[in-house]
Amino acid sequence: MKDSTLHNISLARFRSLFPSSPSVGLGDDFYILDARLEKSHQPMNHPCRFDGFMFLYCIKGRLKMNVNLTEFEISEGMVFMNVPGNIIRVNEIMDTPQEDVRYLCLAMSRDFTQGLKVEVNKLFNEGVSMLEKPTIQLNETEGKLTCNLIHHIVGLLQSEIPYKKESILSSLSSMFYILMGAWRVEALKREDDTKSVRSKVIFEKFMRLVSDYHTQYRNVGFYADKLCLTPKYLSKIIKNTTGRSAPEWIDSYVILEAKNLLKYSGITIKEIVYKLNFPNQSVFYKFFKARTGMTPTEYRNS
């Protein structure tokens, strides 16, 4: 089981990363942020585990975002969806004429999504692999409908009408169905794609297991046993599929978690050592520095 004590930044903390971006919402359970990323000021440049559902719609520019060690590019007209528990980071703001990126961000707590007239988790689990494809390019109709609904929700948030929350939830439900329809079409297209071969499936299962168990187990044998494979065969599949070895993927996930804890949790390094199941601080320091070029203290203070 995933360690529930691992640090998640709240919706309020995430919102505070964009102090100059206008936003409107319902307390800290739901808000819409008109966010801008500039090369001179780049929030989310350290890995963070966001404790909520998040939807990004790119208005202009391009950026590269890392989700659980996999990099995705987001450009104009594209949507990015994040589910609770993912570790995300903005890797790079790419060159644009305006030298910045603008996107609309909708963030909502787990409790808030319970009021949606749509089973969010069920939709994500049925044919939509958020690990494989958290981004999608909307066509003209989908983009227009999505923008209209976002602006409609902003109007509701700024109003004083009765049943405001219920009206917002209803509009969000409509938007989710439009987006999930787009993802489902994309998923059906990929069914015949070469990415669906057995090695790709094994890699995806391996990464889900690493996401769940990386704080407890760092040996390939544990994951091979879970997949009913030999360590040698699993290592070969992962290396041939990704160009990186299975231990490299496991270690990278541990480093990602360590960076998140160092930057956002405020807990001591001794506590981080315990959470990540290292025998002592010396081993953790050597592990971290060998893979980042910095000590944990240097990274925390950077």
Side-chain angles (χ1 to χ4, degrees):
M1 294 293 292
K2 185 179 291 184
D3 185 351
S4 61
T5 65
L6 291 174
H7 187 70
N8 299 297
I9 66 170
S10 65
L11 270 70
R13 177 71 185 277
F14 183 81
R15 194 177 191 175
S16 71
L17 298 177
F18 304 86
S20 61
S21 297
S23 64
V24 59
L26 290 173
D28 289 325
D29 281 324
F30 173 72
Y31 58 81
I32 297 179
L33 187 73
D34 188 350
R36 296 175 186 269
L37 294 177
E38 301 175 359
K39 290 188 175 181
S40 58
H41 174 65
Q42 183 177 320
M44 297 169 59
N45 61 341
H46 296 285
C48 62
R49 185 190 292 277
F50 179 64
D51 189 27
F53 291 89
M54 180 169 59
F55 157 84
L56 302 182
Y57 183 68
C58 187
I59 302 298
K60 70 174 182 178
R62 294 188 300 155
L63 63 87
K64 289 183 178 179
M65 180 171 285
N66 186 293
V67 183
N68 297 337
L69 298 175
T70 302
E71 186 175 80
F72 299 93
E73 182 177 320
I74 306 172
S75 57
E76 185 175 336
M78 292 187 73
V79 164
F80 165 77
M81 289 289 292
N82 181 72
V83 295
N86 282 347
I87 300 180
I88 57 177
R89 173 182 180 268
V90 173
N91 285 358
E92 177 187 359
I93 296 177
M94 305 173 73
D95 289 331
T96 66
Q98 298 82 13
E99 291 291 325
D100 64 7
V101 173
R102 180 190 173 201
Y103 60 85
L104 298 176
C105 170
L106 283 72
M108 60 199 80
S109 67
R110 299 169 192 252
D111 289 341
F112 187 83
T113 62
Q114 300 304 309
L116 290 171
K117 298 180 176 65
V118 56
E119 295 182 59
V120 178
N121 285 315
K122 183 179 179 181
L123 281 173
F124 282 134
N125 290 332
E126 289 184 357
V128 181
S129 173
M130 300 308 293
L131 175 64
E132 181 184 357
K133 188 70 174 177
T135 63
I136 192 168
Q137 179 73 52
L138 300 183
N139 62 35
E140 184 177 353
T141 299
E142 293 163 345
K144 185 175 181 179
L145 289 171
T146 299
C147 279
N148 288 344
L149 280 167
I150 293 174
H151 290 307
H152 176 65
I153 294 168
V154 169
L156 291 172
L157 286 167
Q158 293 173 333
S159 74
E160 297 299 331
I161 64 169
Y163 305 111
K164 179 192 293 190
K165 181 177 179 180
E166 291 77 8
S167 298
I168 290 169
L169 286 167
S170 180
S171 298
L172 281 171
S173 297
S174 296
M175 190 181 77
F176 269 107
Y177 274 116
I178 292 170
L179 296 175
M180 291 306 101
W183 251 293
R184 186 171 291 276
V185 169
E186 184 70 17
L188 291 172
K189 289 179 182 178
R190 294 200 304 274
E191 283 187 356
D192 296 325
D193 197 293
T194 55
K195 292 182 180 179
S196 297
V197 296
R198 185 167 185 264
S199 59
K200 180 66 176 177
V201 173
I202 289 173
F203 172 65
E204 290 181 8
K205 290 181 178 179
F206 168 73
M207 288 303 291
R208 290 189 182 99
L209 287 171
V210 172
S211 176
D212 286 343
Y213 293 101
H214 65 279
T215 61
Q216 299 166 267
Y217 303 100
R218 288 190 284 278
N219 59 304
V220 177
F222 170 82
Y223 298 97
D225 184 62
K226 284 285 185 181
L227 294 168
C228 300
L229 302 171
T230 66
K232 183 177 180 180
Y233 182 68
L234 175 61
S235 297
K236 180 180 179 181
I237 288 292
I238 300 302
K239 182 71 172 180
N240 290 344
T241 303
T242 69
R244 300 174 67 183
S245 69
E248 285 177 324
W249 280 107
I250 298 167
D251 288 352
S252 294
Y253 219 110
V254 175
I255 288 294
L256 198 66
E257 195 72 67
K259 287 181 174 179
N260 168 53
L261 291 167
L262 286 165
K263 277 295 179 182
Y264 296 103
S265 70
I267 64 176
T268 66
I269 292 178
K270 183 178 180 180
E271 289 174 299
I272 293 174
V273 169
Y274 174 77
K275 285 179 179 292
L276 298 182
N277 201 30
F278 281 88
N280 53 59
Q281 287 188 208
S282 177
V283 173
F284 175 63
Y285 265 70
K286 290 177 181 177
F287 177 88
F288 191 90
K289 186 167 184 178
R291 289 158 181 81
T292 67
M294 304 171 71
T295 67
T297 302
E298 288 170 341
Y299 181 81
R300 169 164 272 178
N301 295 331
S302 65

